[in-house]
Amino acid sequence: MIDLEALRSLRAVAEEGSVVAAAAALGYTPSAVSQQVKRLERDTGLPMLERVGRGVVLSRAGAQLVEDGTRLLTDLESLESDLHRQAEQAAGHLRLGTFSTATRGLVAPALAALATSEPLLRVTVTELEPWDAIAHVATGRQDAAVVHAWGDVALDVPEHLERTVVMRERADLVVRPDHPFAGRESVTARDLLGVTWVATPEGTICRQWLSRMYDGTGARPRVAHVAGEFDSHLALVAAGLGVSLVPRLGRSDLAAVPGGPLVAVPVVEPVPTRTVSFVSRRSMAGSPAVTALREALSRG
Amino acid sequence: MIDLEALRSLRAVAEEGSVVAAAAALGYTPSAVSQQVKRLERDTGLPMLERVGRGVVLSRAGAQLVEDGTRLLTDLESLESDLHRQAEQAAGHLRLGTFSTATRGLVAPALAALATSEPLLRVTVTELEPWDAIAHVATGRQDAAVVHAWGDVALDVPEHLERTVVMRERADLVVRPDHPFAGRESVTARDLLGVTWVATPEGTICRQWLSRMYDGTGARPRVAHVAGEFDSHLALVAAGLGVSLVPRLGRSDLAAVPGGPLVAVPVVEPVPTRTVSFVSRRSMAGSPAVTALREALSRG
DNA sequence: ATTCGGTAGCATCGCTGCATGATCGATCTG
DNA sequence: CAGATCGATCATGCAGCGATGCTACCGAAT
């Protein structure tokens, strides 16, 4: 592999016109520069300098190496300065894992604001289930994640990750206007024992919470339909196929759902509360970039 | 300065997921890789890896260094392969010094042909008087040159340069159609003793040859007008201000000269012959690029 | 012919980077 | 819960390589 240190010496020879001048410019001895050039010639197998008169002239290969390599050297320098700048500024590239409703309801507006307040910071979003997101952050495949946990469902994050609550939100029961619950101020978990559910797939956090709501009642929720996205839930509810528990975050306008308007009824006893958290590795939690991202999401 | 060898190891860690795997992939011991990463951290002052569990994860700075540095590494590899390819192929960049009439009459068409036959070869042209051109080639400021020498006027090139004749051409006497010589088959140097000349500036090779033509006659050419470019000569001749000795190479169409058509009369005894040569440093005279350029010019 | 400027080559020294083996910490297993 | 295993790091020894300083040599200028 070509040694960039030696390449810099060769460039100095090209610019200064002689080995001594180059050595003086770089603070080396002429012999050192000569040996570095020799090393380049050994590494590439091509001659770099040729003696002419009592001086040297760059060979064709040498001239080309300098011409092309100069760009490399400046790239390396700018890379190095970028590295230091991004350690103190909110700049660079962050990979954020999010879950679906947060993507549209929370992350998108936050990133839009961030794009103007921190123009040097680039964030790429990947949708992931919370446990996957946490695993990705833990192993470095993501830099941070937005995760959620329903009420008391524990979300255990590894020791080297840091978690801060971004917001708390709740879910409502969504029904058709002609449903018996449509006019109610609120409904309780006990009221819901007999209803037919449109639920999220087995294994999702939302599904877990639905099951947990039935704890102590001895019953299990009757799930008739399964859909991953809440917009699909709304369509199924509008079609009269069941009711759904839909979080407010990222929820579509219920009045504009195809198939007729729907209504949301607050649920109490227990209130289905969801905690949305920001997770990042503890080591970079204090970095300006991560801090800026976390605060942008907290403001949202 | 960042060591690219160490950067390659860091990239391997990022790709393989662990120090041992990276070491195995690169043929090092894990300790060596660990030490290289340590060196990167020392050079940049930023942490690159952080321990998590019994493995490692790239830090923010490390991830960024890999992301940005990968481009640098591939650039370096392509630079290296370019270097070797240009040593065996006609490719890259050559700087050619030429004199004015050759630029339009010889070099331009040759380069046009070369552009299609050797698309990887880029040639930039600079107009120079022959002696300047030779000096530039000798000192490496040009890679090759097209030079000319009139008849027996010696053109001494340094030992480390190589000179090959590209073409020989001759000059004609250019006069107005109403000039006494206009109808002649040819004229001799003796015939020209009394004429009034439009000549090139003192110090040019063309001017030297004009003087040389008078050697042995005891006379000196009567130069009334001096112009650097032969198109100006033609205008002056057309205006009836004298006659001129104009080489055929790169000569404008005499019938289309503003101020009336002109005629060319061959000169004999001696025939004003000009030798056009290609000059390059001996060390790169054999390279494919220079060979291609020389042959393109020889075909012209 | 001599001097001067400049590069290449050589012997020596010092540093650095790799390998080896040991240590520490964390996970997995019986 | 203890032992085993795996992975990273640390300490040490060694080898190689590059810088230094000197000398030799070459070309150009005086």
Side-chain angles (χ1 to χ4, degrees):
Chain A
M1 179 179 289
I2 290 179
D3 180 11
L4 289 191
E5 200 84 25
L7 203 160
R8 199 172 57 174
S9 289
L10 183 69
R11 185 181 58 170
V13 172
E15 284 172 354
E16 305 290 334
S18 81
V19 174
V20 261
L26 295 174
Y28 290 142
T29 61
S31 178
V33 173
S34 180
Q35 289 186 49
Q36 286 188 348
V37 174
K38 278 267 174 299
R39 193 186 338 153
L40 278 181
E41 293 181 337
R42 191 198 45 163
D43 287 348
T44 62
L46 298 167
M48 293 290 149
L49 292 181
E50 51 191 76
R51 300 204 49 165
V52 31
R54 62 183 177 188
V56 287
V57 166
L58 266 73
S59 74
R60 174 153 173 63
Q64 152 144 28
L65 189 57
V66 168
E67 186 176 346
D68 297 350
T70 293
R71 200 176 53 77
L72 254 172
L73 285 171
T74 57
D75 280 1
L76 184 67
E77 285 171 17
S78 64
L79 186 157
E80 213 159 341
S81 68
D82 279 4
L83 211 58
H84 287 107
R85 198 181 61 233
Q86 301 196 12
E88 5 186 276
Q89 273 187 32
H93 182 196
L94 284 178
R95 298 158 300 174
L96 178 68
T98 71
F99 58 94
S100 53
T101 56
T103 304
R104 52 178 177 273
L106 173 65
V107 173
L111 292 190
L114 198 63
T116 61
S117 65
E118 301 286 356
L120 296 174
L121 185 58
R122 201 171 85 245
V123 179
T124 60
V125 170
T126 308
E127 273 195 6
L128 294 168
E129 279 293 313
W131 21 66
D132 288 340
I134 288 175
H136 278 58
V137 172
T139 58
R141 282 155 64 193
Q142 301 284 334
D143 297 312
V146 177
V147 299
H148 61 146
W150 280 107
D152 57 348
V153 175
L155 193 66
D156 57 331
V157 298
E159 178 56 30
H160 68 289
L161 298 192
E162 189 178 271
R163 173 180 165 211
T164 58
V165 174
V166 167
M167 65 179 292
R168 294 179 204 279
E169 65 141 350
R170 48 187 301 185
D172 298 313
L173 181 74
V174 174
V175 296
R176 281 165 52 122
D178 57 4
H179 191 277
F181 292 157
R184 296 273 292 269
E185 278 286 319
S186 63
V187 294
T188 66
R190 190 170 308 272
D191 295 329
L192 297 171
L193 284 180
V195 301
T196 300
W197 288 103
V198 178
T200 56
E202 199 76 54
T204 61
I205 285 191
C206 296
R207 179 63 169 272
Q208 280 191 345
W209 192 86
L210 185 59
S211 303
R212 192 68 64 98
M213 209 165 68
Y214 279 73
D215 283 356
T217 65
R220 297 182 51 76
R222 200 164 71 214
V223 174
H225 307 282
V226 170
E229 301 180 13
F230 285 109
D231 274 354
S232 304
H233 287 218
L234 299 184
L236 293 168
V237 171
L241 299 171
V243 302
S244 177
L245 197 64
V246 181
R248 294 177 182 175
L249 179 66
R251 186 171 71 192
S252 300
D253 182 7
L254 294 182
V257 170
L262 298 177
V263 296
V265 184
V267 179
V268 296
E269 296 173 34
V271 177
T273 307
R274 182 163 74 159
T275 305
V276 179
S277 306
F278 179 85
V279 171
S280 66
R281 280 193 297 285
R282 206 170 283 281
S283 62
M284 63 166 67
S287 90
V290 172
T291 300
L293 177 57
R294 180 175 47 234
E295 288 179 355
L297 289 166
S298 298
R299 275 194 297 273
Chain B
M1 179 180 289
I2 289 179
D3 180 9
L4 289 191
E5 200 83 24
L7 203 160
R8 198 173 59 174
S9 289
L10 184 68
R11 185 181 60 171
V13 172
E15 283 172 354
E16 306 289 334
S18 79
V19 173
V20 266
L26 294 173
Y28 290 139
T29 61
S31 178
V33 172
S34 179
Q35 291 181 50
Q36 287 188 349
V37 173
K38 277 268 173 299
R39 207 162 63 229
L40 279 180
E41 294 181 338
R42 177 176 54 85
D43 288 348
T44 62
L46 297 168
M48 293 290 150
L49 292 181
E50 51 191 76
R51 299 205 52 163
V52 31
R54 60 184 180 191
V56 286
V57 166
L58 267 73
S59 74
R60 173 153 175 64
Q64 152 143 28
L65 188 58
V66 168
E67 185 178 347
D68 297 352
T70 293
R71 200 176 53 77
L72 248 168
L73 285 171
T74 58
D75 280 2
L76 185 67
E77 285 171 16
S78 66
L79 185 158
E80 215 159 340
S81 67
D82 278 5
L83 212 57
H84 287 107
R85 197 181 63 235
Q86 300 196 10
E88 9 188 271
Q89 274 187 31
H93 182 199
L94 284 178
R95 296 157 301 173
L96 178 68
T98 71
F99 58 93
S100 53
T101 56
T103 304
R104 52 178 176 274
L106 173 65
V107 174
L111 292 191
L114 199 63
T116 61
S117 65
E118 301 287 356
L120 295 175
L121 187 59
R122 200 171 85 246
V123 180
T124 59
V125 171
T126 307
E127 273 195 7
L128 295 168
E129 279 293 313
W131 18 67
D132 288 340
I134 288 175
H136 278 58
V137 173
T139 58
R141 281 156 62 191
Q142 301 284 332
D143 297 311
V146 177
V147 299
H148 60 146
W150 280 106
D152 57 349
V153 175
L155 193 65
D156 56 333
V157 297
E159 178 57 30
H160 68 289
L161 298 192
E162 189 178 271
R163 173 179 166 211
T164 58
V165 174
V166 166
M167 65 179 294
R168 293 178 205 279
E169 65 140 351
R170 47 188 299 186
D172 299 314
L173 182 75
V174 172
V175 298
R176 279 162 55 118
D178 56 4
H179 192 275
F181 292 157
R184 295 273 291 267
E185 277 286 319
S186 63
V187 294
T188 67
R190 191 168 309 272
D191 295 332
L192 297 171
L193 284 179
V195 302
T196 300
W197 287 104
V198 179
T200 55
E202 199 77 52
T204 61
I205 287 192
C206 296
R207 179 63 170 273
Q208 280 192 345
W209 191 86
L210 184 62
S211 301
R212 191 70 62 97
M213 208 166 67
Y214 280 72
D215 283 357
T217 65
R220 298 183 49 77
R222 201 165 70 215
V223 174
H225 307 282
V226 171
E229 300 180 15
F230 285 110
D231 273 356
S232 304
H233 287 217
L234 299 184
L236 293 168
V237 171
L241 299 170
V243 302
S244 178
L245 196 65
V246 180
R248 294 177 181 176
L249 180 66
R251 188 171 71 191
S252 301
D253 181 9
L254 295 182
V257 170
L262 299 175
V263 297
V265 183
V267 179
V268 297
E269 296 172 37
V271 177
T273 305
R274 180 162 77 158
T275 305
V276 178
S277 306
F278 178 85
V279 171
S280 66
R281 281 194 296 284
R282 203 171 286 281
S283 61
M284 64 165 67
S287 91
V290 173
T291 302
L293 177 58
R294 179 173 50 236
E295 288 178 357
L297 289 166
S298 299
R299 275 194 297 273

